[in-house]
Amino acid sequence: MEFSRAVEQKQVAQQEAERSKFVVAKTEQERRAAIIRAQGESEAAKLISDATASAGLGLIELRRIEASREVAATLARSPNVSYLPGGKNMLFALNPR
């Protein structure tokens, strides 16, 4: 009986050790993914900034149009009644000039 209990405790300890290794590896992978994601977002922001500098406000206006289309499509699918503010600059309150 005592031998069986000792074997069982050893197996439980080994399983816990494996679980701990897995948790550490998963955490490390998530940390690396967060770093890679942040680097990608930084590069995307730089590219958008460079494009805006070289192309003027056309890129911003294009993004506003795309966002407006997404909002309109979402509202069109919704059965709820939505009230939107009036005016030309509903999105982001950005003036083109």
Side-chain angles (χ1 to χ4, degrees):
M1 188 73 169
E2 192 67 31
F3 178 74
S4 297
R5 185 173 298 152
V7 170
E8 183 181 338
Q9 287 175 345
K10 181 181 176 185
Q11 288 175 340
V12 168
Q14 286 174 336
Q15 289 172 352
E16 283 297 318
E18 288 299 317
R19 183 180 170 279
S20 295
K21 284 186 209 175
F22 172 76
V23 168
V24 168
K26 182 180 175 189
T27 302
E28 178 64 19
Q29 186 178 17
E30 288 172 352
R31 183 188 69 81
R32 283 191 211 137
I35 290 171
I36 291 168
R37 189 171 27 258
Q39 289 171 338
E41 289 173 1
S42 173
E43 182 67 22
K46 183 182 180 315
L47 290 172
I48 289 172
S49 176
D50 292 348
T52 302
S54 66
L57 296 174
L59 179 63
I60 292 174
E61 188 63 27
L62 176 63
R63 296 286 187 210
R64 288 180 64 197
I65 292 168
E66 289 172 347
S68 296
R69 288 179 130 182
E70 282 185 39
V71 169
T74 301
L75 291 175
R77 287 190 304 269
S78 173
N80 300 325
V81 175
S82 299
Y83 297 96
L84 301 176
K88 292 180 359 182
N89 295 318
M90 181 183 88
L91 294 176
F92 313 125
L94 291 175
N95 292 326
R97 289 257 172 207

